[in-house]
């Protein structure tokens, strides 16, 4: 999508602090980190939200999830981490391109706000 900020970051049009990249996904540091380590894992394909993902996206979503541990290890999250996907209005999704927040390097609490 031409006016999507995360599409532009993923294809390099807008510079970002990239933590990991391959042919299908990009991982970059959040502009407003909520933890000492806070990166966003996004598919290069524009998918508006988890709710908009289709069966044909299963391999792509699986690839993101199985890449988490590699990114976490590279970022030094040996004590654990949290993966968050905000979806839709109630989920407080503010950018309409599917992304998973990977947060770490601090003790998390529960329940989330
Ligand atoms: P959401 O609220 O949709 O789950 O998360 C969107 C995230 O994207 C927020 O944590 C916000 O700080 C981050 N964000 C928004 N715009 C930009 C940007 O232009 N660059 C980066 N690196 N992060 C952004
Ligand atoms: Zn997009």
């Amino acid at each position: 999508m031409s006016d999507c900020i995360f599409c532009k970051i993923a294809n390099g049009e807008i510079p970002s602090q990239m933590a990991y990249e391959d042919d299908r996904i990009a991982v970059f540091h959040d502009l407003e980190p909520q933890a000492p380590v806070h990166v966003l894992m996004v598919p290069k394909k524009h998918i508006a939200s988890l709710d908009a993902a289709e069966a044909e996206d299963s391999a792509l979503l699986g690839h993101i999830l199985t890449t988490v541990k590699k990114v976490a290890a590279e970022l030094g999250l040996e004590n654990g981490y949290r993966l968050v996907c905000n979806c839709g209005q109630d989920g407080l999704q503010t950018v309409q391109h599917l992304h998973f927040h990977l947060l770490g390097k601090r003790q998390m609490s529960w329940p989330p706000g």
Side-chain angles (χ1 to χ4, degrees):
M1 251 179 79
S2 56
D3 61 343
C4 170
I5 187 115
F6 284 2
C7 278
K8 288 181 179 170
I9 289 174
N11 71 23
E13 236 179 287
I14 293 179
S16 70
Q17 200 189 341
M18 203 65 79
Y20 172 87
E21 188 178 12
D22 65 27
D23 58 328
R24 285 176 284 170
I25 67 180
V27 182
F28 50 91
H29 289 267
D30 197 291
L31 209 53
E32 294 178 44
Q34 303 301 316
V37 170
H38 183 176
V39 295
L40 301 170
M41 305 187 66
V42 310
K44 290 189 172 178
K45 173 185 176 182
H46 180 84
I47 300 172
S49 75
L50 195 56
D51 219 39
E54 303 289 352
E56 68 190 37
D57 301 313
S58 297
L60 177 57
L61 295 183
H63 177 59
I64 293 174
L65 293 180
T66 53
T67 304
V68 169
K69 66 177 179 186
K70 189 184 335 188
V71 174
E74 282 173 11
L75 294 174
L77 306 183
E78 59 280 333
N79 267 353
Y81 49 80
R82 182 170 288 176
L83 191 70
V84 173
C85 183
N86 298 325
C87 184
Q89 197 175 320
D90 279 3
L92 211 61
Q93 180 181 0
T94 59
V95 176
Q96 309 309 312
H97 178 127
L98 175 62
H99 52 282
F100 294 88
H101 298 254
L102 175 62
L103 303 126
K105 284 282 180 199
R106 71 165 164 84
Q107 180 62 61
M108 301 296 162
S109 60
W110 193 264

